[in-house]
Amino acid sequence: MRRFSWVLAAAAGGAIALAGVATPANAEVWACSSFVNTTTNVAGAVCNGGFGTYRVAATCNSAHYPYTRTVVGPWKTKTSGHPGPYSLVSGEPQGCHVVKAWWQVR
């Protein structure tokens, strides 16, 4: 019985040690670009390399408070081997004008 307890304790300790060194998988996207179309008041971003999740973020200016704020588009997921979908955000429903865009990675 004593030997069984020792084996059980050793197995539990080994599992804890392995859990401490295991790292989570990280997705990574690259070849990303963003744009602003002032005519349609839309900002967008797309990533064409790797795989993972990203979205567009844009600076949006208005004539009333808050004068400048950041608006974001929906999170999009790029799968490996396929072009990424566009993440778009419009300033129109926000009551502001998009002036600068970039992408955010999750």
Side-chain angles (χ1 to χ4, degrees):
M1 186 64 158
R2 181 179 255 185
R3 181 171 170 91
F4 177 72
S5 297
W6 183 85
V7 170
L8 187 59
I16 290 171
L18 282 177
V21 296
T23 58
N26 289 330
E28 184 175 344
V29 291
W30 60 85
C32 300
S33 61
S34 59
F35 65 89
V36 171
N37 184 326
T38 56
T39 303
T40 59
N41 198 20
V42 171
V46 64
C47 293
N48 288 309
F51 62 96
T53 308
Y54 60 92
R55 71 179 175 187
V56 66
T59 300
C60 211
N61 293 338
S62 67
H64 53 81
Y65 184 84
Y67 302 107
T68 301
R69 62 184 180 276
T70 300
V71 294
V72 295
W75 288 105
K76 296 294 183 173
T77 300
K78 184 196 175 309
T79 57
S80 185
H82 298 282
Y86 282 89
S87 175
L88 302 172
V89 65
S90 173
E92 196 65 34
Q94 316 283 336
C96 57
H97 301 282
V98 293
V99 294
K100 178 181 166 186
W102 63 96
W103 60 90
Q104 297 175 331
V105 178
R106 179 162 41 174

